[in-house]
Amino acid sequence: MGSEMAPTTARRTPAEEAWAAMRRLLFSQRLDMLGIASEFALSPPQLFALRSLEPDEPAPMSRLAEVLRCDASNVTGIVDRLEDRGLVERRAAPHDRRIKHLVLTADGVGLRTRIAERMDRPPAGFAALTAAEQRELRDLLGKVAAGCDEDRG
Amino acid sequence: MGSEMAPTTARRTPAEEAWAAMRRLLFSQRLDMLGIASEFALSPPQLFALRSLEPDEPAPMSRLAEVLRCDASNVTGIVDRLEDRGLVERRAAPHDRRIKHLVLTADGVGLRTRIAERMDRPPAGFAALTAAEQRELRDLLGKVAAGCDEDRG
DNA sequence: TATTGTTATACTCTATAACTATA
DNA sequence: TATAGTTATAGAGTATAACAATA
């Protein structure tokens, strides 16, 4: 229901058409992502933060700033709230006491697993494709992603 | 560089693989969207609001709440800021004075056009596909989107 | 009474700049 | 002097609840 806008140009190249189709999906998936975050009572940054932490792999707070692409000052508050919920812990890095490592608690690992299961599950629309088409789609998207990465350098 | 997480499961179905490939692109495109909004000195909601308004087609504020999927109370502030920049105008609806219509100003139409040109331009990665592959991708994505819409009802 | 949009409030995210504690 | 993380501050988005004007 009008979740995306009609194109302004009448004539489009195949690339533009493919991109338009993809943007429609992007738009609806953005909403799904908000829905998932909400299911777990997490904000989007909290969700990504939890997702980015591997069990038993302490990571410095600065890495979270990179993952979330936000200023380091924000990480403080985001981690504060995760810590308040008992999902992560701050731990002084042994070799450099300026650095604080983040580690998932047992609760954090559990929630992260449930989140992964929920996020890895393909949306219903993928069932509309045959297995061969799904592989085809995977390969085409892979090529596009590789091309984008290459462009970024 | 590490913008998306590795899957937790080793064995995946074609649908899961396609979805994983798509999510990688979703993730990077989310950042591109933020970049575009920033290019035009707009917040994401302001960008979508502008995009959703058609020139010479007044729309009630309530429609914006639907498009942005947010509470009506937020629309007030978002529109305030667009109005402060002279991009849209509030206009009392003639038939029901409770309703306020939004209309793009001349500046608003101009900016909206530039935004559309920028957003409709396919990311560099699409050039990695042949025209035939681009059409194939468009069709596969179209099927997925249709399947998702159907699922939503 | 019901509806449209606003206001009040509270919380989270966001950036910038100044600060602390290490190194 | 430089770096990791914090704090202070300000602006924007978000929701809920209460409200005004209108229907």
Side-chain angles (χ1 to χ4, degrees), chain A residues 4 11 16-17 28 43 57 65 88 107 112 116 122 124 126 152:
Chain A
E4 250 294 61
R11 211 79 185 95
E16 282 169 345
E17 290 180 348
S28 67
S43 68
E57 280 192 20
V88 305
D107 278 3
R112 180 179 180 281
F126 283 79
R152 263 182 270 274

Side-chain angles (χ1 to χ4, degrees), chain B residues 36-97:
Chain B
I36 292 175
S38 171
E39 279 177 37
F40 294 100
L42 294 169
S43 68
Q46 286 168 359
L47 184 80
F48 289 125
L50 221 49
R51 225 14 286 234
S52 80
L53 287 172
E54 303 278 350
D56 300 318
E57 280 192 20
M61 305 206 33
S62 58
R63 212 179 76 80
L64 210 45
E66 284 171 23
V67 169
L68 301 176
R69 312 276 187 123
C70 71
D71 191 85
S73 61
N74 302 313
V75 176
T76 299
I78 292 165
V79 169
D80 279 350
R81 288 176 273 278
L82 289 175
E83 203 168 24
D84 287 347
R85 282 181 57 179
L87 299 171
V88 305
E89 270 179 23
R90 275 182 248 239
R91 199 174 286 173
H95 59 295
D96 185 337
R97 283 158 60 198

Side-chain angles (χ1 to χ4, degrees), chain B residues 111-128:
Chain B
L111 183 56
R112 181 180 181 278
T113 302
R114 287 194 292 138
I115 289 170
E117 283 166 0
R118 179 71 182 75
M119 289 179 73
D120 292 347
R121 190 195 314 159
F126 283 81

Side-chain angles (χ1 to χ4, degrees), chain A residues 4 7 13 16 23 28 41 43-44 48 68 81 86 94-95 99 104 116-118 121-122 125 131 138 140 144 153:
Chain A
E4 250 294 61
T13 67
E16 282 169 345
R23 225 177 32 196
S28 67
S43 68
F48 289 124
L68 301 176
R81 289 177 274 278
H95 60 294
I99 297 173
L104 291 169
E117 283 166 0
R118 180 70 181 77
R121 189 194 314 160
R138 172 202 62 191
L140 290 171
V144 171

